[in-house]
Amino acid sequence: MDDVKVKVMADRLVRRVVDCSFHHPAVQQRLGQIRELPTEERLRLVEAFADRHRRGSDTEPVRLTLLTLTALVGRGLDGLPLAAERAAQLDVLGRAHSFWYGDRCEILVEAEEAAGRALSPAVVATVRRTAVGAYADQEIVRFAARFTEPVLNVGEAWAERAMEDGRLRELLAHAVTARAAKPSAAWEKRGRALVEGLGAESVREALLPLLALVGRPRTFALDRAEYEPDVNGTFDPYNANALRGLVWLLALLPAHPDTARALGALVETSLRKVAGIGPRNPKAANAAVGALARTDGEAALAELARLGTRVTYKGTLKLVDAALRARATALGLSREEIEELAVPAYGLTEVGKAGFRFGEAAAELAVRGNRAVLAWHNAAGKQVRTVPATVRRDHAEELRELKGLVKDIEKSLSAQAERLDRQFLARRRWTYGQWRERYLDHPLVATLARRLIWTVDGTPVCFADGALRTLADAPLADAPLADATLTGGATVELWHPVGREPAEVLAWREWLERHAVTQPFKQAHREVYLLTDAERRTRTYSNRFAAHILRQHQFNSLAAARGWHNRLRLCVDDSAPPATRELPQWGLRAEYWIEGEGHEYGIDTTESGTYLRLRTDQVRFYPIDAPQNRASTYGGGYAMWPVEGRRTGAEPLPLAEVPELVLSEVMRDVDLFVGVASVGNDPTWSDGGPQGRFRDYWTSYGFGELGASAETRRALLERLVPRLAVADRCTVEGRFLHVRGELHTYKIHLGSGNILMSPNDQYLCIVPGGSGAAGAADPGYLPFEGDRTLAVILSKAMLLAKDTEITDPTITSQLGRR
């Protein structure tokens, strides 16, 4: 062939590959024919590819094709051109998460290997990640299997640390083969043999520090293509198999509290979401849940119970529920009872307290609110601010365990508070004896239970001054109850303000303040949502929380935390059900109708096409077995889709027929979603967001009429403000807390926390948590935990009352100070 024919043949092949990919049958056939050409003609073709590459006039994908064809057509030939260019391309490949199988980048890798040049571990990692991808073909899978070193992929801190421990080489090689959902008998047999060879204790001591490194930032970042999500926040999928295998091996070891703690932490780390991708690695989370389910002992059960209140990812939560149900069945208990019995004492020897000796030094642990606090005493018995040097030196392991215990207690307190808050709709009742053992006298749970109001055979009581006391401060034994009921027969329930006289609710609020009780969540101050006249007119639906603009991702997280099921809306041609909460104890399903807001890609959506904001609509109730409503993710009306085996033609329930407690609690959830996720309470949205479209909504929400939660906040502030250090500068008037500073007077909205200042009600933007901004001041006693907006309002008030002392330039510039 002359040079012209060679060039034409080369260009046609390049065009065919670019149009059809290397895998197209016609391309495969043509490559087979070319490989049968004489060596001289193949070399001329290779030079044609190289010449075109050197001209540099093609796009990057075409240049990659030219490099690949150079290696593919020239396979087996000596002195191939573009060696430096191929090496540079491999450097780029080593910074990629994976490559498209049609690009046949493994040809470049193979050519370098055949030329005797060592491949970097980063390139090997990219090939392996491609091989475990969803679109990998078997040829790439077979090619990746040739690489046995390094045993794990580089780039993750835990994997690199694991490979530094020579003892773990065989263990890691076996762990990498954990590609199924569950370990086989043969896999476990080999795993047990490896564990026995190293010693169970040695394996535990080696693996747990590795799990603590999972989820750390990558040791080197991978390049991110345009419009692709950031893969640096996810787990390496090849290493994830090994991680799953290590978790399986931990399940073979004797039960140990540290193992349970590490597995529980791994579940939460693995389910942490990455924008545009979702949970980091549900497979690793599921493996850890499976390991906990197979592990005996109190610590593993406690982790499962804690995860039952924390996990929101549907697949993993299903496994947690199954594990807890299996434990409950084995013990002949209900799921609720197993959760109650699963809460360990965490070393507490009395309610909220424990003491620990470290030689001549000592530590006292005390639960205060939602925190566990350590107080240290030296050998002389004097309290000191830091850990004594002798403890750090001579008791390092015991100190580490104590710090781990403190973290466990704080995580459990949060989980137990959430579990208790859900009991209002769970319709739970206890005999007095059960309740006393599991709640009032439990070393940990009692720190929460003793701050709540309960009813014992209908008599409301709360704990104070060492005893259960009635509203009149009489000890329970003096209440009009037969003594026999206190031996275990009395019925105990959580007190709820629904159905109570306003005078009783107010009296309990005063009682809590008088005894300085801070409830773990709103109970006496809990908002009550009664049926409105508008809802009686609409009859089957409520528009009380319609027409709001919510931040979608924040709404989705809140909904999951409150036990609702929801799907993120994407700007694609799809349909989705509304946000729903099933209430099996009542035979009902609540729905909150939502739709994506806007249709401008990149402005109204993330790069991956997920809506940034939602527009809200009706709240409805249906029988729990009614078919699901669905609507287009672009927006539009919801319609019921019949499902085989479920009732058809189900109508929404009249709101008047929904039990008062259910209506109130569901509406409270929805109010929480709006109150937290609305763009109207974002102080940086005064410009109305994209193109100013939401300026009217922001203004009406940020300074408009108060909702139920804000009205509760207003009533509380009327009582709290006189006790503040700046009380002489603060008054509650209408929808605002008015604050008189030296430079201006300020009005803080009680719903959003947004601020207007004199003159002319100018908007003042203060972002909570900023330097010198709201969040640093201590507002003093609050009757309940968890209302962040209340804390922000009080902190802003205390800040602005002393406006001449503010130093943050982002605030002082708005105040007219420079």
Side-chain angles (χ1 to χ4, degrees), residues 767-784:
V767 180
S771 174
D778 180 8
Y781 166 77
L782 296 177
F784 51 80

Side-chain angles (χ1 to χ4, degrees), residues 60-187:
E60 283 303 314
V62 174
R63 288 169 63 80
L64 175 58
T65 298
L66 290 167
L67 284 176
T68 305
L69 285 170
T70 300
L72 191 60
V73 175
R75 180 180 290 173
L77 303 179
D78 295 328
L80 291 181
L82 303 180
E85 288 81 356
R86 288 199 304 277
Q89 184 61 45
L90 289 180
D91 286 340
V92 173
L93 191 65
R95 298 192 301 274
H97 179 269
S98 56
F99 55 84
W100 181 51
Y101 77 103
D103 285 338
R104 300 307 303 269
C105 289
E106 77 274 12
I107 301 298
L108 291 178
V109 178
E110 188 178 31
E112 289 298 290
E113 188 182 37
R117 285 184 283 270
L119 297 173
S120 72
V123 170
V124 173
T126 303
V127 173
R128 284 171 167 169
R129 286 192 292 267
T130 303
V132 299
Y135 300 104
D137 67 359
Q138 288 304 306
E139 191 169 343
I140 293 177
V141 172
R142 287 191 292 270
F143 180 72
R146 297 165 49 180
F147 300 102
T148 58
E149 293 295 336
V151 64
L152 300 179
N153 281 354
V154 296
E156 291 185 317
W158 78 266
E160 293 182 3
R161 179 75 61 83
M163 290 187 288
E164 293 172 1
D165 190 339
R167 300 172 303 163
L168 300 180
R169 176 65 179 77
E170 285 190 84
L171 207 66
L172 295 175
H174 183 58
V176 167
T177 65
R179 302 185 185 96
K182 295 180 180 179
S184 66
W187 195 96

Side-chain angles (χ1 to χ4, degrees), residues 361-538:
E364 293 179 357
L365 188 154
V367 176
R368 297 176 184 169
N370 59 359
R371 297 193 59 216
V373 179
L374 286 174
W376 289 96
H377 298 266
N378 60 20
K382 181 180 178 181
Q383 185 168 337
V384 292
R385 297 182 62 182
T386 59
V387 181
T390 57
V391 176
R392 291 196 300 268
R393 183 187 66 232
D394 302 331
H395 303 276
E397 180 63 19
E398 296 97 315
L399 178 61
R400 184 188 67 80
E401 291 180 358
L402 179 59
K403 289 181 177 179
L405 181 67
V406 168
K407 291 180 181 179
D408 286 348
I409 288 174
E410 291 183 346
K411 287 193 295 184
S412 187
L413 283 169
S414 175
Q416 293 306 313
E418 291 178 14
R419 184 176 67 83
L420 280 165
D421 196 15
R422 293 180 184 179
Q423 298 306 306
F424 292 114
L425 284 176
R427 308 184 86 170
R428 287 282 286 146
R429 294 181 177 182
W430 302 265
T431 64
Y432 185 83
Q434 287 177 334
W435 172 75
R436 183 115 206 175
E437 177 186 359
R438 300 175 189 178
Y439 288 89
L440 196 68
D441 294 333
H442 188 282
L444 180 75
V445 182
T447 64
L448 304 169
R450 292 186 177 188
R451 294 186 281 142
L452 293 172
I453 306 168
W454 305 82
T455 63
V456 179
D457 272 356
T459 300
V461 293
C462 193
F463 193 90
D465 300 325
L468 287 169
R469 299 184 181 276
T470 66
L471 195 53
D473 273 337
L476 180 61
D478 296 334
L481 291 170
D483 290 341
T485 63
L486 300 184
T487 63
T491 300
V492 181
E493 296 179 85
L494 263 176
W495 180 93
H496 194 285
V498 161
R500 303 282 175 175
E501 291 295 329
E504 179 188 348
V505 176
L506 181 59
W508 272 115
R509 293 178 180 180
E510 293 173 345
W511 190 97
L512 294 172
E513 292 177 31
R514 186 166 68 250
H515 291 279
V517 174
T518 297
Q519 297 199 289
F521 48 81
K522 287 183 182 179
Q523 187 189 25
H525 293 80
R526 204 173 188 84
E527 299 83 7
V528 172
Y529 299 79
L530 302 177
L531 206 60
T532 64
D533 290 339
E535 289 163 344
R536 290 188 179 91
R537 288 192 296 271
T538 57

Side-chain angles (χ1 to χ4, degrees), residues 531-731:
L531 206 60
T532 64
D533 290 339
E535 289 163 344
R536 290 188 179 91
R537 288 192 296 271
T538 57
R539 190 171 170 273
T540 59
Y541 62 90
S542 169
N543 280 326
R544 197 185 308 201
F545 299 106
H548 287 282
I549 308 299
L550 310 185
R551 294 177 288 268
Q552 173 168 214
H553 291 83
Q554 193 169 17
F555 166 78
N556 191 59
S557 296
L558 283 168
R562 294 297 300 171
W564 289 66
H565 299 294
N566 182 57
R567 272 179 50 190
L568 286 173
R569 267 58 177 173
L570 278 70
C571 189
V572 296
D573 186 11
D574 194 9
S575 65
T580 62
R581 182 172 181 180
E582 294 194 344
L583 305 163
Q585 294 87 348
W586 304 86
L588 297 175
R589 181 182 77 231
E591 295 187 353
Y592 190 26
W593 290 9
I594 53 177
E595 62 183 48
E597 166 58 40
H599 298 292
E600 193 164 346
Y601 222 83
I603 294 179
D604 295 314
T605 72
T606 64
E607 291 181 353
S608 61
T610 305
Y611 280 109
L612 291 171
R613 292 167 291 276
L614 299 171
R615 185 176 293 275
T616 69
D617 202 343
Q618 303 173 6
V619 175
R620 293 189 176 205
F621 292 85
Y622 288 88
I624 197 168
D625 61 348
Q628 186 64 266
N629 283 302
R630 298 181 73 90
S632 169
T633 51
Y634 287 130
Y638 279 90
M640 189 167 285
W641 290 25
V643 177
E644 186 177 352
R646 306 188 81 176
R647 59 191 295 173
T648 58
E651 296 294 327
L653 268 69
L655 297 180
E657 295 180 13
V658 177
E660 280 189 326
L661 178 62
V662 174
L663 179 70
S664 184
E665 285 297 297
V666 168
M667 290 298 188
R668 183 175 184 271
D669 277 354
V670 177
D671 195 1
L672 172 71
F673 303 154
V674 173
V676 175
S678 171
V679 300
N681 62 19
D682 188 337
T684 65
W685 266 59
S686 59
D687 61 354
Q691 294 97 40
R693 298 200 314 261
F694 308 108
R695 186 177 292 112
D696 290 343
Y697 170 75
W698 184 87
T699 301
S700 65
Y701 181 87
F703 300 103
E705 295 298 322
L706 301 182
S709 60
E711 286 288 359
T712 299
R713 201 173 291 134
R714 181 184 187 280
L716 177 60
L717 282 169
E718 288 177 339
R719 299 179 63 85
L720 291 180
V721 164
R723 306 173 191 173
L724 297 178
V726 293
D728 60 327
R729 293 179 171 268
C730 300
T731 56

